[in-house]
Amino acid sequence: MTTPLVAIRSVSKSFGEFQALGNVSLDVWPGEVVCLIGASGSGKTTLLRCINQLAAIDAGGIWLDGELLGFREQGGRLHRLTERQIRRQRLKTGMVFQRFNLFPHKTALDNITEGPLQVQGRKFDEVRAEALELLRRVGLSAKADSYPAQLSGGQQQRVAIARALAMKPMLMLFDEPTSALDPELVGEVLAVMKELARSGMTMMVVTHELGFAREVADRVVYMDQGAIVEQGRASDVLGAPREQRTRAFLSAVI
Amino acid sequence: MKPAPALAEGFPDLSGMRIAREPHWFRWLSAALIVLVLAAIVRAFAGGQIEWSYVSRFLTAKVILEGIVNTMVMAVLAMALGIILGIVVAVMRLSPNPVLKTVAAGYTWLFRGTPLILQLLLWFNLALVFPTIGIPGLWSARAVDVMTPFLAALLGLGINQGAYTSEVMRAGMLSVDIGQYEAAQAIGMGRLRALRRIVLPQAMRVAIPPLGNEFIGMVKATSLASVIQYPELLHNAENIYYANSRVIELLIVAGLWYLLVVSVLTPLQMLLERRFARGTLRLAR
Ligand SMILES: Nc1ncnc2c1ncn2[C@@H]1O[C@H](COP(=O)(O)OP(=O)(O)OP(=O)(O)O)[C@@H](O)[C@H]1O
Ligand SMILES: [Mg+2]
């Protein structure tokens, strides 16, 4: 019997009056690649941000690796965790942002080693060797000493992926990793992600690259207005959607 | 391949033709006028009631040199205090905690809202309010002994500077993209570490030109400390002319020194700017 790596149960999240997530439940199994698709404003980013606790949920619960996120249950009540405990939980996830968010004052290599050195307090030599290996893995060995401004968008995003991987997360979250890229640079980033998926990493990917979803995703989840409308195998959801809203969305994007 | 269509007639070939130099009559005229005015001013001063020999004699007098050293020591220390306070207050203002926010806003309001010379006088005369100061039971001293001109000037200038610097630092931090902070959080950094490692180095790039400005202001603001007997440049120059009545000559000496110091500071600022511009496109090769 395995348990899901991520278990999302009846999660709701509002910004003021506006409900961005309403009663969302979802399991993500170890080694699985789940692609989240849906129209702009449907809550995909919000869901990822709740999982790595950049945003706090209003109701429901998210379990990662069997551990309730953000709260501790005691005496029939939920108590908010301290900042420190939340940071420890956050280390289990890696996040890749739409706009890369590399640190512009640090080289590619320093971007990658920053977390392991500063946060995890690991040894320099070991961290550096791992970072160089990660750069090789994303095809950027030659760019270790380049600053982000000297890299193309696709290269920056690959460094950002390496930076997230350097923390050795059990779950990788990708928020539209290719949508800020020129079309000819999309492929190189998707190739890195495919390799990562093959290596067995559990991934949740918000994307508009339906080709990538079809090829790599074990499951595709379609969201609309803060709720999961339909999910299933990529070929089913993308090829033969059951729901009217999914069909409308797919015919609009293709 | 189709041949290129023939070009229309009537447009002569201009390649190889030189572009004539513009005469710039007005620039020459205005420059000449300014030179004339400057010459008149120099002539007036040269023939005026100024003993230039006094200027050159006192330019390197021991008391004047001590004054310039004291001025620089005070400017550097007070600016350092101001930057430290400024960063702390800016961080407080940007924190989600309403108590910290209010305290920070109150500090800026109070110290920006009153004249610097008044604050200096208040610090210097603190003994009138609290004859003895100290930690009850541990240590106490007479305020007149503790509040020397040096300490009063440092506190007055530094704390006042902190109020201005906090706004410069706040502007710098606001200029850093929120995504930087989120990326720092995503690799497990806490608020303070993200601030120190990620946000502040980027904020400094924006903050350094205005901070250079503030430091130049500080060098000159130290002259206000002459009213509380701190022996900086202007104070020492005044002491000399009280004795020998060469008022204008000594004011010129002080003025020349201030000009020299400020002129040296500008290239220093450029070096600092380059240091913090790491990774920006302007340096990218
Ligand atoms: N910090 C916030 N404050 C207020 N409203 C927000 C905030 N973040 C998101 N929202 C709102 O929540 C809704 C869901 O946003 P979210 O970013 O999750 O959508 P998305 O599915 O990622 O869309 P996109 O494809 O455009 O990225 C949107 O309507 C958005 O306006
Ligand atoms: Mg989004």
Side-chain angles (χ1 to χ4, degrees):
Chain A
M1 252 295 278
T2 52
T3 53
L5 182 62
V6 189
I8 300 167
R9 292 293 176 272
S10 312
V11 164
S12 297
K13 166 76 183 170
S14 298
F15 296 104
E17 288 291 287
F18 180 81
Q19 192 175 46
L21 291 176
N23 204 21
V24 170
S25 296
L26 181 71
D27 281 338
V28 179
W29 298 85
E32 200 179 18
V33 176
V34 174
C35 280
L36 300 167
I37 61 171
S40 180
S42 56
K44 309 176 300 285
T45 297
T46 306
L47 185 60
L48 293 194
R49 289 170 59 86
C50 288
I51 294 173
N52 80 347
Q53 303 190 66
L54 286 178
I57 60 176
D58 299 333
I62 302 177
W63 284 259
L64 176 63
D65 191 27
E67 189 184 7
L68 178 61
L69 294 183
F71 296 93
R72 182 169 44 87
E73 218 184 316
Q74 196 179 38
R77 281 180 184 221
L78 291 177
H79 302 269
R80 226 173 256 290
L81 295 183
T82 62
E83 264 298 311
R84 205 190 174 79
Q85 291 166 317
I86 289 178
R87 284 210 297 278
R88 187 181 52 75
Q89 292 185 332
R90 194 178 280 138
L91 287 180
K92 293 183 179 177
T93 60
M95 180 94 168
V96 175
F97 300 87
Q98 182 173 359
R99 285 171 50 237
F100 330 136
N101 294 349
L102 287 182
F103 307 132
H105 58 305
K106 293 182 183 295
T107 62
L109 188 68
D110 290 344
N111 263 277
I112 299 172
T113 56
E114 179 72 10
L117 289 178
Q118 295 294 323
V119 178
Q120 296 175 326
R122 292 170 51 203
K123 286 210 195 63
F124 178 80
D125 292 341
E126 165 193 320
V127 166
R128 192 184 140 86
E130 277 180 21
L132 288 172
E133 168 58 21
L134 280 168
L135 275 174
R136 193 197 55 73
R137 195 170 158 193
V138 299
L140 291 173
S141 291
K143 299 289 185 185
D145 296 323
S146 299
Y147 285 96
Q150 297 166 314
L151 300 175
S152 75
Q155 292 170 333
Q156 288 188 52
Q157 191 62 299
R158 286 185 279 153
V159 173
I161 293 173
R163 175 176 70 180
L165 290 175
M167 305 298 286
K168 307 193 172 164
M170 21 183 25
L171 170 71
M172 283 287 284
L173 306 170
F174 294 84
D175 188 8
E176 302 195 31
T178 59
S179 53
L181 297 178
D182 290 339
E184 76 270 21
L185 301 177
V186 168
E188 63 190 49
V189 172
L190 291 183
V192 166
M193 292 169 63
K194 278 178 205 166
E195 189 270 323
L196 192 59
R198 268 197 302 274
S199 77
M201 176 61 80
T202 313
M203 296 162 55
M204 293 180 75
V205 185
V206 174
T207 187
H208 294 301
E209 297 291 330
L210 298 185
F212 173 82
R214 209 171 274 124
E215 186 182 342
V216 181
D218 298 299
R219 192 146 45 106
V220 169
V221 173
Y222 171 68
M223 290 183 70
D224 188 31
Q225 296 183 0
I228 292 177
V229 174
E230 178 168 358
Q231 58 172 301
R233 293 215 316 257
S235 52
D236 294 342
V237 176
L238 301 177
R242 286 190 310 271
E243 298 288 329
Q244 173 56 38
R245 277 189 283 174
T246 319
R247 248 173 279 158
F249 171 75
L250 288 176
S251 61
V253 290
I254 292 171
Chain B
M1 232 174 77
K2 264 203 300 190
L7 296 174
E9 298 283 326
F11 299 93
D13 183 7
L14 296 185
S15 59
M17 222 178 264
R18 298 262 290 286
I19 296 173
R21 285 183 69 165
E22 289 174 64
H24 292 305
W25 294 120
F26 186 73
R27 288 187 199 175
W28 285 109
L29 196 74
S30 51
L33 218 65
I34 287 167
V35 168
L36 274 178
V37 170
L38 282 179
I41 292 175
V42 168
R43 190 160 168 271
F45 270 88
Q49 303 282 334
I50 300 174
E51 284 289 346
W52 288 97
S53 62
Y54 275 91
V55 173
S56 59
R57 202 162 98 214
F58 280 102
L59 202 55
T60 51
K62 186 157 171 282
V63 186
I64 292 293
L65 293 181
E66 278 168 7
I68 193 72
V69 167
N70 285 338
T71 289
M72 287 319 292
V73 166
M74 181 54 66
V76 168
L77 290 181
M79 194 68 197
L81 179 61
I83 288 178
I84 292 167
L85 281 174
I87 291 175
V88 170
V89 171
V91 169
M92 283 167 68
R93 272 198 98 157
L94 293 175
S95 96
N97 182 334
V99 179
L100 294 182
K101 257 190 164 114
T102 312
V103 169
Y107 165 84
T108 312
W109 171 77
L110 184 64
F111 287 96
R112 259 194 339 187
T114 51
L116 176 52
I117 193 160
L118 182 147
Q119 292 173 32
L120 285 167
L121 288 168
L122 277 179
W123 284 110
F124 191 53
N125 293 303
L126 204 65
L128 300 179
V129 192
F130 310 105
T132 57
I133 52 177
I135 310 158
L138 278 178
W139 169 83
S140 75
R142 294 195 316 149
V144 269
D145 299 335
V146 176
M147 199 48 78
T148 57
F150 174 82
L151 188 62
L154 179 60
L155 290 176
L157 292 166
I159 293 176
N160 180 268
Q161 187 59 48
Y164 288 91
T165 309
S166 72
E167 288 297 281
V168 172
M169 293 311 303
R170 192 163 69 97
M173 288 186 217
L174 286 176
S175 78
V176 178
D177 188 80
I178 182 82
Q180 289 291 310
Y181 185 59
E182 293 189 337
Q185 275 188 303
I187 57 168
M189 287 194 177
R191 236 185 89 77
L192 284 182
R193 194 193 303 269
L195 213 63
R196 189 166 56 80
R197 300 276 315 169
I198 306 301
V199 177
L200 273 181
Q202 296 179 58
M204 283 316 276
R205 196 169 66 78
V206 177
I208 278 181
L211 280 183
N213 222 11
E214 297 279 314
F215 186 60
I216 286 171
M218 172 63 85
V219 170
K220 291 174 294 174
T222 52
S223 63
L224 289 178
S226 60
V227 299
I228 56 169
Q229 314 304 318
Y230 179 69
E232 46 71 52
L233 179 55
L234 183 64
H235 185 258
N236 288 4
E238 283 175 340
N239 275 349
I240 299 173
Y241 72 61
Y242 289 149
N244 69 4
S245 298
R246 293 289 170 188
V247 178
I248 296 297
E249 288 81 356
L250 278 146
L251 288 179
I252 289 176
V253 165
L256 286 175
W257 271 111
Y258 282 117
L259 264 179
L260 181 73
V261 167
V262 170
S263 315
V264 171
L265 286 176
T266 312
L268 277 182
Q269 175 184 335
M270 288 197 355
L271 281 180
L272 256 187
E273 276 182 36
R274 212 170 297 168
R275 167 81 174 69
F276 279 97
R278 253 181 327 177
T280 57
L281 264 181
R282 273 189 303 155
L283 270 190
R285 275 181 287 267

